[in-house]
Amino acid sequence: MPEDSNGPRSGYATPLELLRTPPPRERADAARNRAAVLEAAARLFAEHGPEGVSMDQVATAAGVGKGTLFRRFGDKAGLAVALLDARERDLQEAILSGPPPLGQGAAQGKRVEAFLLAYLDHLLKHLSLVRMSETASPGARYRIGAYRFWHRHLTLLLDGDPDPEAAAHGLLAALSAEHVSALLPELGEDRLRAALIRLANAASPA
């Protein structure tokens, strides 16, 4: 099937570029406060784990008022999402304009496999943060903008499947932070990677 700049052509597809996580647009003072908060949160989370850090501690370390912190980020899950944004934008850019097989220029099946493995690498580096962002409330994972990007990317690549949208959700289910957190101690990284490759091969169009 012919491809456009985002993958196979499809009448139901939202252009992938429109689903990218945009960098925040804000006043200079707000940008400074945001940077201070995210720097403090990243340091405290790395030292104590997200579960061991309170919003009060983040506000104190960042030198901002607690009210400002809550208004801007809501809760620790909101902080986690904000911390992950820059890392997710890097992966999104690699998908849109990076070299194959993650970027364009490789067979669809190879791109599915490359994405699943690249996302697993991202997940393993930030597992506690992703888990917090995905489990903050019922269904939180599916409301995160980055999830919509990953889902649309896989939907485009699985265009030959009878129901590519459902197939894309099925592949992403294997990459939920809760799922990976539960299986990682038992299976280890190598077996998880091998299982993802088998899933990619089974799901990809021939």
Side-chain angles (χ1 to χ4, degrees), residues 119-134:
Y119 187 83
L120 180 63
D121 287 339
H122 162 77
L123 181 59
L124 292 174
K125 288 178 184 176
H126 311 291
L127 190 55
S128 59
L129 285 179
V130 179
R131 186 178 183 184
M132 178 181 289
S133 72
E134 290 183 352

Side-chain angles (χ1 to χ4, degrees), residues 5-18:
S5 60
N6 301 320
R9 298 187 186 278
S10 174
Y12 55 74
T14 300
L16 197 54
E17 287 95 339
L18 298 182

Side-chain angles (χ1 to χ4, degrees), residues 33-185:
N33 284 342
R34 177 185 175 86
V37 166
L38 294 182
E39 180 181 356
R43 175 170 51 80
L44 290 172
F45 287 172
E47 291 173 356
H48 307 291
E51 298 82 4
V53 177
S54 69
M55 292 289 275
D56 284 356
Q57 289 173 305
V58 173
T60 298
V64 302
K66 186 167 65 173
T68 298
L69 182 63
F70 277 98
R71 283 193 300 273
R72 184 64 186 271
F73 297 98
D75 54 18
K76 284 197 294 183
L79 273 175
V81 170
L83 283 169
L84 291 167
D85 274 352
R87 286 98 169 159
E88 290 167 340
R89 282 197 297 273
D90 290 341
L91 181 52
Q92 290 168 1
E93 286 300 322
I95 288 168
L96 289 169
S97 56
L102 187 57
Q104 297 175 63
Q108 289 170 227
K110 289 297 183 183
R111 293 195 71 196
V112 171
E113 178 182 317
F115 167 73
L116 295 182
L117 296 178
Y119 187 83
L120 180 63
D121 287 339
H122 162 77
L123 181 59
L124 292 174
K125 288 178 184 176
H126 311 291
L127 190 55
S128 59
L129 285 179
V130 179
R131 186 178 183 184
M132 178 181 289
S133 72
E134 290 183 352
T135 60
S137 61
R141 182 185 193 216
Y142 306 97
R143 295 190 295 272
I144 296 170
Y147 182 89
R148 293 193 293 274
F149 183 98
W150 315 136
H151 178 257
R152 179 55 62 205
H153 175 54
L154 285 174
T155 298
L156 290 166
L157 293 178
L158 297 172
D159 199 46
D161 187 274
D163 190 345
E165 292 187 337
H169 282 304
L171 288 177
L172 288 170
L175 287 167
S176 78
E178 190 78 359
H179 179 75
V180 172
S181 296
L183 296 186
L184 186 60

